[in-house]
């Protein structure tokens, strides 16, 4: 069976494969840069969550504050499980889960 290439019948399969690899690496690099954050930013996100839980617990109900804290704890556990399944171990897995759970604070800092 003859392969159909977008460049036509005279296409070079090796060049197409190299372009694909380069495009894939660029895409993965962009995703890594998007989700790259410092631990300090994650600490700031954790502080925001703690303050918000306390505020909600005082203003509305302690139960609602606990639900919000539990939701973030559940998100951390899921992120930790994913990091462990992805091959990270020990502190690296916990750090990745922590940054994923609370790293959104990078989007609100200037």
């Amino acid at each position: 069976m003859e392969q159909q290439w977008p460049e036509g019948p005279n296409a070079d399969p090796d060049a197409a494969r190299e372009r694909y690899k380069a495009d894939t690496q660029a895409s993965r690099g962009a995703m890594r840069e998007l989700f790259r954050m410092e631990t300090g930013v994650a600490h700031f996100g954790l502080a925001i969550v703690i303050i918000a839980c306390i505020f909600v617990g005082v203003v509305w109900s302690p139960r609602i504050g606990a639900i919000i804290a539990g939701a973030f704890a559940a998100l951390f556990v899921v992120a930790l499980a994913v990091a462990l399944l992805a091959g990270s171990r020990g502190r690296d897995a916990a750090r990745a889960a922590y940054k994923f759970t609370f790293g959104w604070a990078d989007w609100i800092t200037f």
Side-chain angles (χ1 to χ4, degrees), residues 25-87:
Q25 286 176 346
S27 175
R28 288 179 181 164
M31 289 301 290
R32 276 192 304 271
E33 186 63 32
L34 176 66
F35 289 110
R36 182 175 294 156
M37 65 208 64
E38 299 295 324
T39 306
V41 172
H43 291 331
F44 185 61
L46 176 62
I48 291 172
V49 169
I50 290 171
I51 291 168
C53 289
I54 292 171
F55 178 77
V56 168
V58 168
V59 173
W60 283 285
S61 166
R63 184 181 313 195
I64 296 174
I67 289 171
I68 293 171
F72 276 97
L75 178 62
F76 177 79
V77 169
V78 169
L80 182 62
V82 169
L84 289 172
L85 289 173

Side-chain angles (χ1 to χ4, degrees), residues 8-19:
N10 297 326
D12 181 15
D14 293 328
R17 192 171 296 113
E18 289 302 317
R19 277 195 315 276

